[in-house]
Amino acid sequence: MLKRSLCAAIALAGLTGAAFAEDSPISANVGFVSDYQYRGYSQTKENMALQGGFDYAHASGFYAGVWGSNVDWLDTGSLEVDVYGGFKKSLGDFGYDVGVLQYVYPGGKIGGDSADTTEGYVGVSWKFISFKYSYAFTDLFGASNSDGSQYFDLSASHDVGAGFTLGAHVGRQKIENGTSYNDWKVGVSKDYAGFSFGLNYVDTDVDNDDNAEARVIFSVSKSF
């Protein structure tokens, strides 16, 4: 039922996207990935995922949005819905972003506990480099006594022309009362015929966990 609801939402995004004017504050996106990875971990046991969402961006810098994907790591539940809002601005080559992100897993339980998580974040950027710091106000994805966990994200992207963009990322997940780890990603994306295609290599320094092993992920998405 949850997967069918997600597919219906993605179909709706495709149907309504064409109605959004170029200057509209509302946009939609829909995508497919061969593996939904988050902070180096596969959320779908290295299987494909369908994803989509809606965003609202005001000229003042305020924004809000909702995004969803199927997942396969919970004891119960198979859907992730992210609801977020914040404020971001650019000052020449510099930019900043402050907001709150709520991860919701309808009916989702892990070890008998809810996986729902609330994080606040602060991001800064300069030209092609960005840094984002996230702080968990609740237990992190169902891990006991893990509130206060932090994630550090350093990323870079460079447009090399002809619609190609090179990207790289390194992250550090610090888990309160748990095992912290590092993750990284390098890849390339290409815009073609109104779609964005991506190919990324993802890995972590986590041992003995298939969901955190090295892999190559293909993606295709479209924004409206």
Side-chain angles (χ1 to χ4, degrees):
M1 176 64 73
L2 292 174
K3 288 186 178 180
R4 288 199 296 270
S5 298
L6 174 63
C7 291
I10 291 174
L12 178 61
L15 290 173
T16 60
F20 297 149
E22 289 187 3
D23 59 350
S24 171
I26 301 174
S27 61
N29 62 85
V30 60
F32 158 87
V33 291
S34 60
D35 176 14
Y36 170 26
Q37 73 84 27
Y38 186 68
R39 297 180 180 174
Y41 270 81
S42 174
Q43 307 296 295
T44 50
K45 295 182 179 177
E46 300 189 35
N47 292 313
M48 70 177 189
L50 291 172
Q51 305 172 334
F54 293 91
D55 289 283
Y56 170 82
H58 191 268
S60 66
F62 170 79
Y63 65 89
V66 60
W67 180 88
S69 176
N70 59 290
V71 296
D72 189 16
W73 60 273
L74 299 162
D75 295 333
T76 61
S78 59
L79 178 64
E80 173 186 334
V81 179
D82 300 345
V83 182
Y84 49 88
F87 186 86
K88 61 182 176 182
K89 274 289 190 179
S90 295
L91 303 170
D93 291 332
F94 293 89
Y96 64 90
D97 184 5
V98 180
V100 176
L101 171 56
Q102 175 69 50
Y103 304 84
V104 180
Y105 300 90
K109 298 285 185 178
I110 184 74
D113 295 322
S114 171
D116 292 359
T117 300
T118 304
E119 285 189 333
Y121 56 86
V122 177
V124 293
S125 62
W126 178 76
K127 293 186 176 180
F128 59 91
I129 299 176
S130 64
F131 174 78
K132 184 177 181 180
Y133 168 76
S134 300
Y135 180 90
F137 295 113
T138 64
D139 283 346
L140 189 70
F141 307 117
S144 298
N145 301 315
S146 60
D147 55 304
S149 294
Q150 305 165 70
Y151 187 71
F152 305 86
D153 176 350
L154 179 64
S155 299
S157 63
H158 181 60
D159 184 348
V160 295
F164 286 95
T165 300
L166 300 179
H169 150 86
V170 61
R172 171 70 174 174
Q173 178 70 76
K174 181 181 178 183
I175 303 176
E176 287 295 311
N177 300 306
T179 302
S180 302
Y181 69 94
N182 301 306
D183 72 279
W184 53 91
K185 177 175 69 173
V186 292
V188 60
S189 63
K190 164 69 174 178
D191 292 332
Y192 180 76
F195 291 85
S196 178
F197 299 87
L199 193 64
N200 291 280
Y201 172 83
V202 178
D203 199 3
T204 74
D205 61 359
V206 177
D207 296 322
N208 304 317
D209 191 331
D210 290 344
N211 289 317
E213 65 183 6
R215 57 205 179 278
V216 175
I217 298 175
F218 170 76
S219 64
V220 59
S221 62
K222 184 174 180 60
S223 298
F224 305 91

